[in-house]
Amino acid sequence: MSLVLHASLLPSWWGKPKPPAPDEPLQVRMMVEPEAKPPPPKPRMAKPSKPRRVTPSKHARPQTTPEPLPPPNPETVPMSMPAPSAPTAEEWQLASTYTPRNGKRYRYAWGQQVRSMMGTAFEGPDQGMVRFRIEIAPDGKLSKVEQLWSTSEAVSRLARKAIENLPPLPPTPSGKPLIFEQTISFLPYETGWPPSYKLDCLPEPLPFNNPFAWNGSSPPDVAKREHRPPPPEGCPPDSTEDTIEEEERSFKRQMEQWRWGR
């Protein structure tokens, strides 16, 4: 009887559904602390490997170490050039008898005489050039000196002092007053080049006259070619013969003047 009673009561509570679970309360976090990460592991230092020996190839070029540059010298010596020697008595004798080209030899000898009395030229503010207009009397005495231009006051002063102390000069070649212009170089790299007397025996060229100019009223002249006579015998004169040495000196002067090949 007890078993039947318990069996009748069992389905009444076994078939009933379970009640739902209560909802969890709402939680709000205002700040979340970051999670601490563990520090990264330290890298291990690699052991130094032994240097490898490189055998040079047969075709490899040997490496040359550049030579060290010399230290700069703060005390540089300025460039200088001593004065040229004065014309000799033989050169003055030849110059006093050289009539072509308005006493060309006499004029050059006069400039060299003045430059030889000016002393050594040093690099710096005292170097320069000066040009004079000179008039020499037939007996060789200086009649007039006029300075045309100068690039240095020191050079002008030295040149004037040398002109005032010139020794007695020979008479002029033509027996007339000799008037010319002369530039005196007081530079540490050149003292003035000697002129060439190669074709001085040829007659003086005629002044330029434009053959194609016409004023519109006079009859036009037909342009004619200038006739130049052949050089006379014995031209060029002695001591200026057309030699290879003279050609070399002339070519060297042109290279130094126009700075060819630099």
Side-chain angles (χ1 to χ4, degrees):
M1 291 294 289
S2 62
L3 291 173
V4 172
L5 180 62
H6 283 85
S8 62
L9 295 175
L10 181 62
S12 61
W13 61 267
W14 188 19
K16 293 181 180 181
K18 294 182 179 180
D23 296 335
E24 296 182 359
L26 182 62
Q27 297 181 3
V28 179
R29 294 183 179 182
M30 301 302 294
M31 182 176 65
V32 180
E33 296 180 0
E35 298 180 359
K37 296 182 180 181
K42 297 182 179 180
R44 296 183 179 181
M45 300 295 294
K47 295 182 179 181
S49 59
K50 296 182 180 180
R52 298 174 58 188
R53 296 186 61 184
V54 180
T55 57
S57 175
K58 295 182 179 181
H59 303 285
R61 297 182 179 179
Q63 297 182 358
T64 58
T65 57
E67 298 182 357
L69 297 176
N73 187 10
E75 299 180 358
T76 57
V77 180
M79 187 171 54
S80 63
M81 175 175 283
S85 57
T88 61
E90 291 77 9
E91 292 176 349
W92 272 117
Q93 177 65 25
L94 182 61
S96 61
T97 58
Y98 194 84
T99 56
R101 308 297 183 192
N102 191 28
K104 192 174 182 180
R105 283 183 181 273
Y106 196 102
R107 293 185 281 122
Y108 173 71
W110 185 91
Q112 287 299 100
Q113 182 71 44
V114 174
R115 176 62 185 89
S116 65
M117 301 171 62
M118 293 175 62
T120 304
F122 291 92
E123 180 184 9
D126 292 340
Q127 69 179 16
M129 304 172 70
V130 60
R131 187 172 181 85
F132 294 101
R133 187 189 302 275
I134 308 299
E135 182 177 349
I136 300 178
D139 57 355
K141 293 182 180 180
L142 193 63
S143 301
K144 185 178 180 181
V145 178
E146 179 185 357
Q147 179 176 316
L148 301 179
W149 53 262
S150 174
T151 61
S152 173
E153 185 63 28
V155 176
S156 177
R157 184 171 58 254
L158 288 174
R160 285 185 172 276
K161 184 178 179 180
I163 292 174
E164 293 174 358
N165 299 325
L166 279 175
L169 302 180
T172 59
S174 60
K176 300 178 182 179
L178 183 60
I179 303 173
F180 60 96
E181 295 181 3
Q182 184 74 25
T183 301
I184 299 175
S185 301
F186 191 74
L187 303 172
Y189 51 85
E190 66 99 2
T191 58
W193 300 313
S196 175
Y197 311 101
K198 185 175 180 180
L199 301 175
D200 288 355
C201 58
L202 296 178
E204 293 281 351
L206 298 176
F208 176 75
N209 184 19
N210 189 359
F212 302 100
W214 184 47
N215 57 8
S217 59
S218 60
D221 295 334
V222 180
K224 297 180 181 179
R225 186 176 181 180
E226 181 184 357
H227 174 69
R228 292 192 177 186
E233 296 182 2
C235 181
D238 295 339
S239 74
T240 59
E241 296 179 356
D242 193 5
T243 60
I244 296 180
E245 290 76 14
E246 184 180 353
E247 293 293 335
E248 291 179 352
R249 288 193 296 267
S250 177
F251 186 68
K252 181 181 178 182
R253 288 195 298 268
Q254 296 179 33
M255 290 186 63
E256 293 176 352
Q257 179 179 4
W258 304 112
R259 304 292 192 269
W260 293 347
R262 295 188 182 182

